[in-house]
Amino acid sequence: MSDFSLPTDPEERREKLGVLFTEAVPHNHALQLRLEAVGTTDATVVMPYADVLVGNPETGVVAGGAVTTLIDAASGTAVMAALNAFAAIVTLDLRIDYLRPARPGLPLTAQAECYKVTRMVAFVRALVHQGDPATPVASSQGTFMRVES
């Protein structure tokens, strides 16, 4: 994928980057990830609750792997927002702390911020919650590498 600039209007940015969730990354589409907002260095992505995402049928709690994908998608989008471009990037490292089980039946929201960009590496932190950021489900810290094309 070649690089090109993103629009400055927040809604236009969201629409352009939203294409990644529906066309360029089928995995995100399968999980029904929805890009809610994109700023200049941040992104908010929502994953609706679905029975196929449950890791423990007795509790109805969403599997950790689905939460990981949500965080990775939100963090990567925050990197593209900070780069102000569609760019080929890869996840170098993604540390996740699971803080409490997600409540069954509720969507999960990931808010990610890219707080530092170097020539090749971007640094991101994210928080996942179910409506109240003060009671997060998970937090993360990650690094992404820009791939030269």
Side-chain angles (χ1 to χ4, degrees):
M1 180 182 303
S2 63
D3 292 8
F4 61 91
S5 296
L6 295 172
T8 56
D9 178 72
E11 185 57 27
E12 289 181 31
R13 290 171 73 86
R14 189 193 63 76
E15 287 180 21
K16 286 265 190 183
L17 285 170
V19 170
L20 289 174
F21 289 87
T22 58
E23 294 179 18
V25 185
H27 186 81
N28 292 346
H29 182 69
L31 293 176
Q32 300 182 6
L33 299 185
R34 186 177 64 247
L35 182 60
E36 288 287 311
V38 179
T40 56
T41 61
D42 59 282
T44 301
V45 177
V46 173
M47 181 173 65
Y49 183 84
D51 290 339
V52 296
L53 301 177
V54 170
N56 182 341
E58 291 182 21
T59 63
V61 173
V62 172
V67 175
T68 299
T69 299
L70 173 64
I71 290 171
D72 195 35
S75 296
T77 305
V79 170
M80 288 189 207
L83 294 172
N84 194 32
F86 286 107
I89 58 173
V90 296
T91 307
L92 287 178
D93 182 52
L94 187 60
R95 174 194 160 82
I96 299 173
D97 292 318
Y98 292 95
L99 305 172
R100 68 170 179 82
R103 292 182 305 244
L106 298 176
L108 291 163
T109 300
Q111 294 176 302
E113 176 193 23
C114 180
Y115 61 93
K116 171 86 175 164
V117 176
T118 67
R119 189 175 67 78
M120 294 300 291
V121 179
F123 300 83
V124 183
R125 55 184 154 236
L127 198 65
V128 176
H129 62 84
Q130 293 184 293
D132 182 3
T135 57
V137 170
S139 65
S140 73
Q141 185 84 29
T143 55
F144 291 73
M145 187 174 85
R146 190 173 188 167
V147 178
E148 300 286 337
S149 54

